[in-house]
């Protein structure tokens, strides 16, 4: 039996007073997701273990049945995989931003959302300067990859977006263990040297002339080594494909041995190509057993604390993606398990991720429905799947374990 998992990043929420106590999922018109809940089996899933950070990488690893305690090695290695950057086992990979530091303070984590072209020029020049001690690879806008061969992961780095307005000197990298002292020292040296090199770079002179913020420092964070992950095929014997606009999710799929399918117009925002993703998922089911479709939009709306936008994103996911996949499966006579879920809540009241358990619905025509009528945080509580954790969700989807009725 084939399977498709549709994940709306950050869709889950909490009771909202403006909605008479309903959540956005309850208030939104979602006949397709409700149908999956009604015909299928429902429950809650603890996607973020108590001792792990409330990030999408951790949550999506859990959804795919991987233990984030073992497999989560930071954003750097995931984004590196998505960009096709080769990593050796002893390479330390970090996400590196080009940032703007002004009067010693962290002014902008994105150097004013610098263009990819300008940033690539900076990264290229700085890479040439630092090789072979460090390697730098350009990504999109302010988001790049830094590799330190032989670097030790036992360090604490500060994500620049969490420390805007703070003293850059106070945010420098610290070692957690004595074996990592040299790594921290070298990375701090790189930051200091980059400030000298970038401060006078022609790209930044031009940016200043145009009234834009200069990208005058590198800022490495989220360090890790390549995770040793068994592929989906090795673990479950199924060939998987993943569809996402987000590098973090694509990288995770690469390590899970899935084919990453690019969809034109997939932006990671509200204007994403929902129909294109649905059609790509249906096509992928032709030669894959498992397809994972990730949609970022609702999470972004949650971060922006925009309730109406979040509801619109949920309704778009429902009518333009989920419904289209259900229709396509029927038309193409593909028999597949269909599951829908978020990865974690991103409550609009809060504007950030939380670790509350998420609602899941799994429709497998071979198994009886459990009487749940709708897909939302409240309805899922009475589902037969109960409270799941670890790899219980993905095993349910893949039919790898029967639950007790
Ligand atoms: Zn997420």
């Amino acid at each position: 039996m084939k399977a498709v998992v549709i994940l709306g990043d950050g869709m889950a929420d909490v009771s909202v007073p403006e909605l008479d106590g309903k959540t956005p999922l309850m208030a939104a018109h979602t006949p397709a997701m409700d149908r999956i809940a009604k015909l299928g089996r429902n429950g809650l899933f603890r996607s973020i273990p108590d001792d792990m950070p409330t990030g999408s990488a951790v949550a999506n690893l859990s959804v795919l049945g991987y233990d984030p305690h073992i497999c989560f090695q930071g954003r750097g290695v995931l984004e590196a995989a998505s960009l096709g950057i080769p990593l050796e086992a002893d390479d330390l990979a970090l996400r590196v931003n080009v940032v703007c530091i002004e009067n010693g303070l962290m002014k902008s984590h994105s150097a004013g959302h610098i263009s990819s072209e300008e940033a690539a020029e900076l990264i290229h020049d700085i890479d040439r300067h630092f090789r072979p001690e460090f390697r730098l690879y350009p990504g999109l806008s302010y988001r790049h990859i830094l590799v330190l061969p032989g670097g030790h992961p036992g360090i604490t780095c500060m994500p620049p977006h969490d420390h805007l307005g703070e003293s850059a000197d106070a945010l420098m990298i610290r070692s957690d263990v004595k074996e990592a002292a040299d790594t921290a020292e070298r990375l701090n040296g790189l930051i200091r040297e980059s400030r000298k090199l970038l401060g006078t770079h022609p790209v930044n002179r031009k940016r200043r002339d145009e009234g834009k913020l200069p990208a005058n420092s590198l800022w490495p964070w989220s360090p890790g080594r390549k995770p040793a992950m068994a592929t989906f095929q090795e673990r479950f014997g199924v060939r998987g494909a993943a569809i996402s606009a987000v590098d973090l999710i694509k990288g995770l799929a690469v390590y899970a041995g899935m084919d990453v399918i690019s969809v034109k117009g997939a932006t990671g925002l509200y204007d994403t190509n929902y129909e294109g993703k649905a059609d790509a998922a249906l096509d992928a089911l032709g030669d894959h057993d498992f397809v994972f479709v990730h949609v970022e939009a609702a999470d972004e709306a949650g971060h922006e604390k925009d309730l109406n936008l979040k509801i619109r994103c949920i309704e778009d996911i429902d009518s333009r993606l989920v419904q289209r996949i259900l229709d396509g499966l029927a038309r193409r006579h593909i028999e597949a398990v269909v599951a829908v879920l978020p990865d974690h809540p991103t409550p609009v009241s809060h504007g950030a991720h939380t670790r509350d358990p998420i609602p899941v619905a799994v429709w497998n025509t071979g198994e009886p429905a459990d009487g749940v009528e709708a897909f939302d945080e409240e309805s899922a509580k009475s589902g037969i799947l109960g409270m799941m954790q670890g790899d219980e969700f993905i095993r349910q989807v893949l039919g790898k374990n029967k639950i007790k009725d």
Side-chain angles (χ1 to χ4, degrees):
M1 184 86 117
K2 303 203 174 220
V4 53
V5 169
I6 305 163
L7 187 142
D9 203 299
M11 269 198 309
D13 211 295
V14 293
S15 160
V16 179
E18 295 99 297
L19 300 174
D20 293 328
K22 291 181 177 171
T23 68
L25 265 177
M26 291 163 86
H29 180 60
T30 55
M33 291 193 260
D34 291 345
R35 181 151 175 257
I36 294 169
K38 211 177 283 189
L39 296 172
R41 304 171 142 220
N42 300 266
L44 295 170
F45 179 47
R46 208 176 275 290
S47 59
I48 300 180
D50 285 338
D51 53 351
M52 294 295 293
T54 55
S56 291
V58 168
N60 279 273
L61 275 166
S62 295
V63 167
L64 294 174
Y66 289 95
D67 183 350
H69 295 100
I70 299 165
C71 301
F72 180 61
Q73 296 289 331
R75 300 183 75 103
V77 292
L78 292 173
E79 294 182 10
S82 173
L83 291 168
I85 296 166
L87 293 177
E88 301 297 329
D90 71 339
D91 279 342
L92 185 73
L94 302 95
R95 162 67 161 297
V96 64
N97 287 27
V98 287
V99 301
C100 176
I101 295 174
E102 206 175 66
N103 304 323
L105 306 179
M106 184 62 72
K107 169 87 174 170
S108 169
H109 71 285
S110 65
H113 285 90
I114 188 170
S115 72
S116 298
E117 292 71 29
E118 284 183 319
E121 207 179 319
L122 298 175
I123 294 294
H124 177 79
D125 286 351
I126 233 165
D127 175 55
R128 223 172 26 191
H129 178 83
F130 281 111
R131 283 213 186 212
E133 190 188 1
F134 295 98
R135 305 197 304 271
L136 286 124
Y137 299 88
L140 283 179
S141 181
Y142 59 90
R143 303 183 284 261
H144 311 283
I145 300 297
L146 172 69
V147 177
L148 171 54
H152 195 288
I155 53 174
T156 296
C157 304
M158 305 295 178
H161 53 270
D162 286 341
H163 298 278
L164 296 175
E166 294 180 30
S167 159
D169 284 344
L171 299 174
M172 298 299 272
I173 293 163
R174 290 192 287 266
S175 55
D176 305 328
V177 291
K178 103 171 163 297
E179 300 77 41
D182 175 61
T183 296
E185 205 172 298
R186 285 162 72 189
L187 288 167
N188 286 329
L190 168 109
I191 294 176
R192 282 190 292 268
E193 181 95 0
S194 76
R195 289 177 70 170
K196 273 190 236 155
L197 290 165
L198 292 175
T200 55
H201 194 282
V203 165
N204 280 326
R205 281 208 295 269
K206 182 165 150 276
R207 285 181 69 79
R208 280 200 200 86
D209 290 346
E210 292 167 350
K212 294 175 180 163
L213 293 177
N216 58 13
S217 180
L218 294 181
W219 200 268
W221 57 285
S222 208
R225 285 195 183 137
K226 187 163 79 167
M229 279 166 62
T231 65
F232 227 59
Q233 182 99 48
E234 288 164 346
R235 291 196 61 199
F236 303 114
V238 299
R239 182 153 177 249
I243 298 169
S244 173
V246 180
D247 280 329
L248 204 65
I249 307 299
K250 289 191 206 172
L252 205 149
V254 169
Y255 289 121
M258 295 188 194
D259 291 324
V260 177
I261 295 169
S262 294
V263 173
K264 228 176 143 195
T267 57
L269 287 168
Y270 334 114
D271 60 353
T272 197
N273 182 1
Y274 294 99
E275 291 82 2
K277 284 188 162 181
D279 295 346
L282 290 163
D283 289 344
L285 280 171
D287 51 359
H288 295 83
D289 312 299
F290 174 81
V291 178
F292 180 59
V293 190
H294 170 271
V295 184
E296 179 76 357
D299 180 62
E300 291 292 330
H303 286 301
E304 289 174 25
K305 301 186 174 185
D306 189 330
L307 178 60
N308 290 330
L309 182 60
K310 182 159 184 185
I311 291 174
R312 200 186 93 199
C313 289
I314 291 170
E315 292 183 342
D316 279 343
I317 291 171
D318 192 80
S319 62
R320 297 170 60 187
L321 181 78
V322 181
Q323 186 62 53
R324 197 174 170 99
I325 287 176
L326 293 179
D327 291 345
L329 290 173
R331 202 175 47 247
R332 298 184 192 201
H333 307 290
I334 302 172
E335 227 195 306
V337 174
V338 184
V340 62
L341 79 170
D343 53 347
H344 51 69
T346 309
V348 284
S349 56
H350 188 54
H353 304 166
T354 65
R355 61 176 76 250
D356 290 339
I358 49 168
V360 309
V362 183
W363 175 27
N364 179 342
T365 51
E367 289 180 335
D370 63 2
V372 168
E373 291 288 320
F375 179 69
D376 59 63
E377 299 83 347
E378 276 308 303
S379 305
K381 288 180 184 167
S382 55
I384 196 167
L385 301 179
M387 177 72 76
M388 292 179 284
Q389 58 182 351
D391 62 3
E392 288 173 325
F393 166 74
I394 202 68
R395 288 186 164 278
Q396 197 56 236
V397 169
L398 297 172
K400 296 296 175 189
N401 58 342
K402 294 275 177 230
I403 57 147
K404 50 280 168 189
D405 281 77

